[in-house]
Amino acid sequence: MRKKLISAVAAMSAFGLVLTGCAGGDEGNKGEGGDVTLQMVESLTNPARTDLLKGMLADFEKANPGIKVQLVSPPTEQADQKIQQMLQSGSGVDVLEVRDLTVGPFSNNKWLYDMAGDLKGWEGYDLLTDQTKKFTVDADGKAYFVPYGFYGLSLFYRTDLVKEAGFAGPPKSWDELISQAAKIQDPTKNRYGYAFRGGANSSGQLMSILEAYNADNLDVENAYKVTSGKTIFSTPESQVALDKYIELFKTGSPESSVAWGYAEMVQAFTNGSTAFLLQDPEVIAVVNDSTLTKDQWNVAPNPVGPTGKAAWPMATAGWGVAESSKHKEEAVKLVKWLSGDPSTKFAQDNSLVPILKSAGEDEFFKTGPWAGYVEMTSNPDTWISVIEPRSSAWWTEWMKRSETDLQQVLLGKMSTADLLKGWDEYWTQKWEG
């Protein structure tokens, strides 16, 4: 999913600011008899998701006579381009899907309505998890979208292989993960410990261990910084963490994983050749469809660092209202409705960490592979919610550089100290402009 988010934003940037005609518009929003018709645009479209949304909107219309909702579902690859065009034109959209990667440029261009005032006193607000509240109202007190769910890393593990190796349960810390992966690894049986990510977008897994080792001093609003204001790459803790991470590759991962991306990692876990995989919850559905049986795997919380804590950077998206909407009251009503009980069904069907506290009591989420996510959201002092600077203009450039440098280290062509020094200089210079 992260890959899809980044690709879509890159496509949006490349498309530029060309405007084309948009469906709907203010003139089309008034129906017969004074009814209001809202235009709602989704971004991460697929047929099953669109059908689910249409069903939810039908329920909303039934509960709110006088308000109709027309759902616009552009193809995912062009969806953000379409949304940008509609927002720029100032018509054709009332409610829209806003992502953590698009909220910055959309709000900076004053295309999004600030719902902060509307959410004050909303009884549904107190029902949201702390994680959701944090992303709903930003540091400046603005509320440009209400998340509908979250993506975040957790540890997929093979219950049978862990037991066969003599361990009582899955690793709770990075140290335990390295130990278990090394013991399980047996190349003669095509069995490996950890599905290492050395290829495209490898920084996510690497940052997970760096942030865990710096958890006590992490800047939660920018997890690439520590509280002193320096980069996370400048600390002694990061040097220890990176050396541990390389040890995990050398003693508990396949050599070929130096080039693995998302697909190879997931395939290695689902085909039974690796015991551990650090991935987003969308993979739950993939594993469910694999040859692994339910008693062969599960999901544990993100491994913690030496102080018993871990950072949990989240990717998210949600529903927002266009500043240009002539029906903000009705649009906000729809956003609130979607953020209530229907959000739990939406999270279930789309493999998302849910936004409501009550979802933790839902049998679907409190058992099996979802239980690890509920444990993390229920213990924010251990799994600290942080924000990574993924909306930076140079993020795509950073992803390419981090992939190249990590591979140089894995191949023995660069030291871990030189990698961290280079990354410290890179981010310091970028932030200094």
Side-chain angles (χ1 to χ4, degrees):
M1 179 56 67
R2 289 170 186 267
K3 183 178 179 182
K4 291 179 181 176
L5 295 175
I6 293 168
S7 299
V9 171
M12 178 179 68
S13 300
F15 190 82
L17 303 180
V18 180
L19 297 179
T20 61
C22 297
D26 297 334
E27 294 302 319
N29 282 350
K30 279 287 185 181
E32 292 183 2
D35 289 351
V36 169
T37 299
L38 299 175
Q39 291 262 46
M40 175 175 167
V41 191
E42 62 170 328
S43 175
L44 302 170
T45 58
N46 66 60
R49 187 182 193 265
T50 297
D51 287 345
L52 174 62
L53 274 176
K54 286 180 177 178
M56 293 166 64
L57 295 177
D59 291 340
F60 171 79
E61 291 175 345
K62 191 179 300 181
N64 295 274
I67 305 178
K68 302 293 183 184
V69 186
Q70 180 178 345
L71 181 65
V72 180
S73 305
T76 298
E77 290 74 15
Q78 290 89 41
D80 282 314
Q81 298 171 201
K82 185 69 174 178
I83 291 174
Q84 180 171 327
Q85 292 165 12
M86 299 170 89
L87 292 171
Q88 282 183 299
S89 71
S91 64
V93 56
D94 297 290
V95 176
L96 68 151
E97 188 166 359
V98 182
R99 307 205 310 239
D100 54 1
L101 294 180
T102 58
V103 64
F106 286 2
S107 60
N108 287 338
N109 282 294
K110 303 187 186 305
W111 294 336
L112 298 178
Y113 172 62
D114 176 14
M115 296 185 288
D118 302 272
L119 300 182
K120 285 182 179 177
W122 172 43
E123 59 183 15
Y125 189 78
D126 290 336
L127 304 179
L128 302 174
T129 63
D130 290 342
Q131 182 86 15
T132 309
K133 291 177 182 176
K134 179 178 179 178
F135 279 86
T136 298
V137 181
D138 66 19
D140 296 323
K142 307 291 186 182
Y144 293 116
F145 73 106
V146 179
Y148 54 59
F150 296 91
Y151 308 92
L153 295 177
S154 58
L155 186 66
F156 290 69
Y157 69 98
R158 285 284 300 273
T159 52
D160 51 353
L161 297 182
V162 167
K163 185 177 180 181
E164 286 176 24
F167 298 104
K172 296 180 179 178
S173 67
W174 278 96
D175 268 349
E176 291 180 5
L177 173 59
I178 293 167
S179 297
Q180 291 198 17
K183 189 167 183 180
I184 290 172
Q185 176 129 318
D186 185 352
T188 63
K189 298 179 180 178
N190 192 34
R191 178 181 295 174
Y192 300 91
Y194 181 71
F196 197 92
R197 187 165 195 162
N201 301 319
S202 57
S203 67
Q205 279 74 14
L206 171 55
M207 290 307 300
S208 183
I209 187 171
L210 263 58
E211 290 164 356
Y213 273 66
N214 287 278
D216 284 342
N217 298 305
L218 211 54
D219 181 341
V220 296
E221 298 299 329
N222 182 348
Y224 277 35
K225 285 184 178 180
V226 288
T227 50
S228 67
K230 294 182 178 180
T231 78
I232 188 175
F233 311 110
S234 67
T235 71
E237 290 83 1
S238 289
Q239 182 65 64
V240 175
L242 180 55
D243 288 339
K244 290 279 186 181
Y245 195 57
I246 302 306
E247 179 184 347
L248 176 61
F249 171 73
K250 291 180 177 178
T251 64
S253 308
E255 289 185 7
S256 59
S257 61
V258 66
W260 282 7
Y262 171 87
E264 292 83 4
M265 293 172 69
V266 174
Q267 184 179 21
F269 184 80
T270 55
N271 70 17
S273 60
T274 59
F276 302 109
L277 169 72
L278 201 59
Q279 261 299 341
D280 291 330
E282 68 191 63
V283 175
I284 290 175
V286 180
V287 184
N288 276 330
D289 290 339
S290 74
T291 57
L292 295 180
T293 57
K294 288 186 177 180
D295 60 348
Q296 282 185 300
W297 69 282
N298 209 335
V299 177
N302 218 356
V304 299
T307 62
K309 300 176 183 176
W312 203 27
M314 306 291 286
T316 187
W319 307 114
V321 173
E323 180 62 50
S324 60
S325 173
K326 303 301 182 186
H327 306 290
K328 292 187 177 69
E329 179 180 347
E330 293 83 358
V332 170
K333 180 178 286 189
L334 174 57
V335 171
K336 289 179 177 177
W337 190 89
L338 290 169
S339 307
D341 289 339
S343 69
T344 300
K345 170 66 173 172
F346 189 78
Q348 286 180 6
D349 286 12
N350 290 283
S351 286
L352 296 165
V353 177
I355 64 172
L356 297 183
K357 298 175 187 174
S358 59
E361 300 304 316
D362 188 300
E363 200 65 25
F364 178 88
F365 287 109
K366 72 178 184 181
T367 58
W370 282 101
Y373 294 95
V374 173
E375 183 176 352
M376 286 191 281
T377 56
S378 302
N379 294 279
D381 292 336
T382 298
W383 288 278
I384 304 165
S385 173
V386 300
I387 298 172
E388 293 182 338
R390 297 190 302 117
S391 60
S392 301
W394 55 88
W395 186 256
T396 301
E397 174 189 279
W398 157 247
M399 296 298 280
K400 291 180 179 176
R401 169 163 183 169
S402 59
E403 175 189 338
T404 300
D405 286 354
L406 176 59
Q407 286 185 333
Q408 291 295 302
V409 172
L410 297 176
L411 295 171
K413 298 180 179 178
M414 179 187 289
S415 71
T416 55
D418 284 343
L419 179 147
L420 290 171
K421 181 182 178 183
W423 290 6
D424 175 46
E425 292 173 350
Y426 175 86
W427 279 94
T428 299
Q429 291 172 3
K430 289 293 187 184
W431 284 328
E432 289 177 350

